[in-house]
Amino acid sequence: MTALEVQQELNAKANPVDVEFLQRFFKTGKGQYGEGDVFLGLRVPVIRKIAAKYQQLPIDEIEKLLESPIHEHRLAAVIIMAEGSKRAGPEMKQQFYNLYLNRTDRINNWDIVDVSCRDVIGGFLMDKPRDELYRLAASNSIWERRIAMVSTWHFIRVGQLDDTFRVAELLMHDTQDLIHKAAGWMLREAGKKDEGALLDFLDRHANDMPRTMLRYSLERLEPELRERYMRLPKKTVK
């Protein structure tokens, strides 16, 4: 199995009709977060179906996929890693984890992050120290900061919420809306496991949170609770 074979299968499914829409959706214009990214026009189910055939793709070939300028090639690479991480033994999990962190320069849009980091990064760190999350959360890279936040989803699923709240607090004053959305999303997921813990976080931070982050975090709460938190005055900076 080679990266070239994966690329050829993906290329054969190219849908020019959807390219323009995806370029707009993923903000590929000058100065936008996805500036210059190139699309084939494929939707995720198509990519997943092809990626599923290449679960035995060697790690060096996965890296070749990541190096591609084409968005769907890179997305297929991380899907292969994410699915592989769910079933791999410790050595292979480590290889996926190392490659992922070494090539965050190629994991460079929110969908590529979100489809993969929970299993590749969060899954690997499940029984290990989580210092790497906090290094990522302090990164200058918007994608590394988003990886730090969304990776905690793996811990949320087993009821471990502390890292989600800690990383969200660290990112509360981030300047990027994509980080506000990710933090609010993970807070919402944490609230599904323990609404009381989410309410405690909101009681301490709601009036200092970006509005987008706050709105996302409130989506599963009762309407009266949502209204109460949204009506809190924004904390003023002295």
Side-chain angles (χ1 to χ4, degrees):
M1 289 185 173
T2 67
L4 181 60
E5 292 175 74
V6 183
Q7 291 170 341
Q8 288 173 338
E9 285 210 44
L10 292 167
N11 295 350
K13 297 289 186 179
N15 181 4
V17 174
D18 280 344
V19 168
E20 186 176 350
F21 165 75
L22 290 172
Q23 287 175 331
R24 289 196 308 270
F25 187 71
F26 288 104
K27 308 295 185 186
T28 63
K30 186 171 178 59
Q32 295 181 307
Y33 60 73
E35 181 178 350
D37 208 353
V38 180
F39 285 80
L40 296 172
L42 303 185
R43 302 303 175 105
V44 172
V46 175
I47 300 168
R48 283 192 176 278
K49 186 173 182 179
I50 292 172
K53 297 163 59 176
Y54 290 92
Q55 281 302 295
Q56 302 306 313
L57 192 68
I59 199 81
D60 59 332
E61 295 295 317
I62 295 175
E63 185 166 12
K64 290 178 184 177
L65 275 183
L66 283 176
E67 290 170 350
S68 172
I70 295 175
H71 186 98
E72 290 92 342
H73 294 174
R74 303 193 307 279
L75 188 56
V78 299
I79 288 172
I80 290 168
M81 285 196 281
E83 293 302 314
S85 292
K86 295 175 184 178
R87 298 179 291 274
E91 183 179 345
M92 198 67 227
K93 284 180 185 288
Q94 177 88 61
Q95 289 189 45
F96 288 139
Y97 175 85
N98 290 345
L99 174 59
Y100 199 96
L101 290 183
N102 288 338
R103 297 311 309 265
T104 54
D105 62 312
R106 308 306 298 151
I107 299 167
N108 54 359
N109 214 312
W110 60 263
D111 61 324
I112 301 177
V113 170
D114 293 356
V115 80
S116 57
C117 67
R118 181 191 70 190
D119 297 308
V120 179
I121 303 301
F124 180 78
L125 294 176
M126 190 67 221
D127 57 352
K128 299 175 182 66
R130 296 170 187 175
D131 303 50
E132 188 64 28
L133 286 183
Y134 298 93
R135 183 194 69 78
L136 292 167
S139 172
N140 290 328
S141 163
I142 183 176
W143 307 123
E144 290 193 347
R145 299 196 303 276
R146 190 165 173 116
I147 289 167
M149 189 71 256
V150 179
S151 292
T152 70
W153 193 4
H154 201 286
F155 315 145
I156 292 169
R157 296 172 82 187
V158 296
Q160 296 182 16
L161 309 181
D162 288 351
D163 289 295
T164 298
F165 292 125
R166 288 178 62 195
V167 174
E169 188 172 358
L170 289 172
L171 296 175
M172 201 158 57
H173 300 294
D174 200 283
T175 60
Q176 297 294 325
D177 193 57
L178 281 174
I179 300 301
H180 304 164
K181 290 177 179 178
W185 169 28
M186 289 302 107
L187 289 171
R188 182 180 72 227
E189 293 299 313
K192 292 179 186 179
K193 285 291 186 180
D194 188 340
E195 185 173 298
L198 173 60
L199 295 179
D200 180 65
F201 182 90
L202 293 173
D203 287 341
R204 289 182 286 116
H205 298 296
N207 66 341
D208 200 29
M209 290 165 65
R211 295 292 96 175
T212 298
M213 180 177 171
L214 180 59
R215 282 197 305 271
Y216 272 56
S217 71
L218 299 174
E219 286 178 352
R220 300 279 297 190
L221 299 181
E222 293 297 320
E224 59 271 20
L225 277 175
R226 295 202 303 270
E227 183 178 359
R228 175 162 71 86
Y229 285 114
M230 288 301 297
R231 291 180 64 181
L232 288 173
K234 183 71 175 171
K235 185 183 291 185
T236 56
V237 179
K238 295 183 180 180

